[in-house]
Amino acid sequence: MTSQFDRRQMLAGAAAAGLAGALESQSTAQAQTKSNIAVRIDRDLDAIDPAYRTGPWDGNVARTVFQRLVKQKPNSAELENDAAAEITQTSPTMIDFRLKPGQMFTDGYGEMTAEDVKFSFERIGLAPEPGRQAGPYKGDWVYLDRVETTGQYAGRIVLSKPRANLFNIAIGDVSGCIVSKKATMERGIGHNTKPVGSGPYQLVSMEKQKGGVLKRNAAFTGAKPFFDEIAVRFISDPKTTELALRSGELDFAVLPPSVAEPLRGVSGLSITEQPSIAYLWIGMNMEKAPLTDLRVRQAIRLGLDVDQMLLAAYNGKAPRLNTLLPPQILGHWKNAPVYKRNVAEAKKLLQEAGQTNLKLKLLILNQPVYQNMALVARALLQEIGVTLEVDAQEGGTYWSAGKGDTGKNLDLFLLRFNGKHDPNFIMQWFVPTQIGDWNWQRWSSPEFEKLFNDAAAELDQAKRVQEVVEAQKLMDKTSAFVWLTNEVNFLAHRSWLKPSAVPGWIDWQYDSFGAATS
């Protein structure tokens, strides 16, 4: 196809190109004059120690503070050497590594050695150090048998069974962060908030309800980060975040569609939409009557209308999820049932269960998106004879509601977890040992656990997919999970800023944030 332009169009085009060039130059100049940025997190920092982190908000900071043997390249899932000079898988159950010499821990804790690597991995995958409980990410190192040190800088990771995706989930991710053994032992629980690493940044302050400050680690031997300082600010409310972006107090945030869309016309801000691998669902406590009755759980699932709930919360921008794993993840159950609302069948099930005046409580995080969905759910369930009380809680109360014996009191809850590109990482929260921690359904299924373990060791991809799909079918049979969405991310940031993340847009690579045109 050819096009013809007249002189006026050519001049207009030249003017537009000139304006674009000027704006680009302006953006570059703005970025180059900035030595610090502020980014928003929607959950408060809690534990930067890799073994005891509470989620990606902690993990994203940990990745900048600690080194790993290998790490993801900027904006990529492809791995490259980090602390390792060499790393080789010599058999399905053995990985040999050799560290680069001269990698120094901060606060005077000396040089990284193979003994630090052994300590870092075994404290997560095997027994924790004395006086501390096992961390929640033990599943990342499933089948770890031991780490042998074969020299000051050299060692060998030994597994009891082959392990699928070991490099991406364990060695190259937060559970593969290398801590100083001496500092961790000396600081104990204090290492959660005063971590000692050797990575590109050092956490110089951390304060509850405020966040933390990262400063560039001058002793880091790898690539120098673009920014000298990054303020990681905890702001739970999306509207407050919007105002901070407008005023220039904040340079980067992830927002729900309803808050991000109005920012599209704001000068100096860029809004981009990215697919997400987070997952939301309404869960039911299978240990608490009457939710112990399968018919009651089936009735609630049939009484809800997922599409209506998503429309109310995301303005139609978020895709519906029908099973645990979203389509981007290996083992997605493509033919999972798409449950449609059926009031008559729901009422019939409740009648058969002897539930004529059922009252339940739905716990949600106190955020507008979840409140909108909860209000729709309340109206929908009212029509089948269920009176739903919406219990909206602030983060601290909400995230501890399913822990320990407290979790026995839950009825229904709306949960959002963050995913990674591995089915076992996502499945690990639903095994029996997670009851009292993150398995808020209190679902105890040895069959599910076996499929989880089998899939972790399966190197044949086709067989692994089948095991993962079978595990999702087991979840579906319980009717204790009403899958909602894997969301969509709206990134709001200064136009001169170029964010960086592992695809999936949850694992931010703060140390690779830079100028938009650099």
Side-chain angles (χ1 to χ4, degrees):
M1 185 175 76
T2 59
S3 300
Q4 293 182 327
F5 296 92
D6 59 23
R7 185 171 181 274
R8 177 181 293 179
Q9 287 173 315
M10 289 180 65
L11 290 172
L19 177 61
L23 290 173
E24 183 175 285
S25 299
Q26 186 180 24
S27 294
T28 305
Q30 285 177 311
Q32 288 174 344
T33 59
K34 291 280 290 186
S35 61
N36 62 298
I37 56 172
V39 301
R40 178 237 186 174
I41 51 174
D42 61 1
R43 287 279 305 275
D44 199 8
L45 294 178
D46 190 26
I48 309 305
D49 187 314
Y52 302 99
R53 68 192 190 273
T54 58
W57 44 93
D58 289 337
N60 290 335
V61 172
R63 279 194 202 84
T64 71
V65 172
F66 303 99
Q67 288 182 273
R68 294 154 275 170
L69 291 176
V70 294
K71 66 177 182 180
Q72 290 87 4
K73 294 179 178 178
N75 286 308
S76 170
E78 186 181 350
L79 297 171
E80 62 182 3
N81 284 359
D82 185 10
E86 294 178 4
I87 181 164
T88 307
Q89 183 149 16
T90 57
S91 81
T93 57
M94 289 188 186
I95 298 100
D96 288 349
F97 66 86
R98 182 171 59 81
L99 294 170
K100 300 168 187 172
Q103 297 175 119
M104 307 302 292
F105 287 113
T106 57
D107 296 355
Y109 277 97
E111 186 183 21
M112 180 192 297
T113 68
E115 182 61 29
D116 295 306
V117 178
K118 173 182 172 66
F119 175 78
S120 300
F121 296 173
E122 290 185 348
R123 69 194 286 256
I124 297 178
L126 303 178
E129 61 265 31
R132 301 201 70 173
Q133 294 181 335
Y137 289 88
K138 183 179 173 66
D140 286 356
W141 277 106
V142 65
Y143 301 137
L144 176 67
D145 184 79
R146 63 189 183 280
V147 179
E148 300 171 351
T149 57
T150 57
Q152 183 178 2
Y153 301 115
R156 173 174 295 159
I157 301 166
V158 182
L159 307 175
S160 58
K161 286 184 179 181
R163 168 71 195 282
N165 219 5
L166 177 70
F167 278 79
N168 291 89
I169 296 303
I171 297 175
D173 204 3
V174 186
S175 289
C177 286
I178 302 166
V179 301
S180 160
K181 178 179 179 179
K182 182 181 179 184
T184 307
M185 298 293 284
E186 284 184 1
R187 297 192 175 185
I189 197 169
H191 193 253
N192 284 342
T193 54
K194 294 182 179 179
V196 174
S198 58
Y201 284 99
Q202 185 175 9
L203 183 68
V204 295
S205 71
M206 180 171 154
E207 190 174 350
K208 277 291 180 189
Q209 298 298 310
K210 290 188 176 180
V213 175
L214 293 163
K215 282 198 174 180
R216 189 168 64 80
N217 176 12
F220 177 58
T221 56
K224 179 183 175 182
F226 189 90
F227 296 106
D228 291 339
E229 182 176 302
I230 299 177
V232 183
R233 294 182 180 164
F234 168 54
I235 307 174
S236 62
D237 180 48
K239 192 64 182 174
T240 305
T241 305
E242 178 196 340
L243 295 175
L245 284 163
R246 287 180 183 273
S247 69
E249 296 174 20
L250 202 61
D251 299 306
F252 171 82
V254 179
L255 291 170
S258 60
V259 181
E261 290 286 4
L263 291 171
R264 284 193 185 278
V266 176
S267 176
L269 282 181
S270 294
I271 309 298
T272 56
E273 185 177 332
Q274 302 290 349
S276 167
I277 54 174
Y279 48 109
L280 268 77
W281 75 102
I282 288 181
M284 307 180 208
N285 181 355
M286 296 174 65
E287 286 187 355
K288 186 179 180 186
L291 295 169
T292 47
D293 190 324
L294 174 63
R295 294 168 297 185
V296 175
R297 302 196 298 269
Q298 289 172 328
I300 291 170
R301 185 164 66 179
L302 288 174
L304 294 170
D305 186 324
V306 172
D307 294 326
Q308 275 196 49
M309 294 169 66
L310 296 183
L311 187 62
Y314 297 95
N315 296 344
K317 297 286 186 180
R320 176 171 174 165
L321 187 67
N322 298 308
T323 186
L324 171 65
L325 302 178
Q328 307 96 310
I329 306 299
L330 180 78
H332 168 66
W333 183 16
K334 185 179 179 181
N335 299 317
V338 181
Y339 290 99
K340 297 294 185 183
R341 189 167 190 243
N342 189 330
V343 174
E345 182 63 21
K347 286 183 173 179
K348 179 185 172 191
L349 285 164
L350 287 175
Q351 188 175 29
E352 290 173 357
Q355 299 296 330
T356 56
N357 187 27
L358 185 56
K359 295 181 180 178
L360 295 171
K361 186 180 287 188
L362 171 63
L363 174 72
I364 65 168
L365 184 63
N366 189 19
Q367 295 287 331
V369 166
Y370 308 134
Q371 289 169 345
N372 289 343
M373 280 193 283
L375 292 176
V376 174
R378 185 173 68 181
L380 293 169
L381 292 183
Q382 187 71 45
E383 291 184 38
I384 67 168
V386 176
T387 302
L388 193 67
E389 178 189 346
V390 177
D391 181 19
Q393 295 289 344
E394 296 295 334
T397 302
Y398 172 83
W399 288 109
S400 61
K403 302 283 188 177
D405 287 343
T406 305
K408 294 178 180 178
N409 300 319
L410 290 176
D411 291 335
L412 310 182
F413 44 86
L414 196 158
L415 265 179
R416 178 192 184 278
F417 281 2
N418 295 293
K420 291 186 185 293
H421 286 275
D422 180 76
N424 276 88
F425 180 87
I426 296 175
M427 291 163 61
Q428 67 179 311
W429 315 117
F430 306 98
V431 298
T433 52
Q434 285 286 338
I435 293 174
D437 204 347
W438 291 116
N439 182 353
W440 288 12
Q441 292 73 208
R442 306 184 78 84
W443 177 43
S444 181
S445 172
E447 191 178 359
F448 178 87
E449 186 173 37
K450 182 179 185 307
L451 286 167
F452 168 81
N453 288 328
D454 290 348
E458 185 57 69
L459 302 184
D460 183 311
Q461 183 163 303
K463 290 181 180 177
R464 191 176 185 218
V465 165
Q466 188 57 41
E467 289 161 348
V468 172
V469 169
E470 291 301 317
Q472 290 169 88
K473 290 180 178 177
L474 288 178
M475 301 181 91
D476 182 68
K477 286 180 181 176
T478 69
S479 296
F481 305 84
V482 180
W483 304 110
L484 299 174
T485 179
N486 54 296
E487 288 193 318
V488 60
N489 286 328
F490 277 72
L491 314 185
H493 58 86
R494 300 286 152 216
S495 300
W496 45 258
L497 178 66
K498 182 181 179 182
S500 184
V502 179
W505 303 95
I506 290 171
D507 294 335
W508 301 107
Q509 299 167 311
Y510 294 140
D511 56 310
S512 295
F513 277 34
T517 56
S518 64

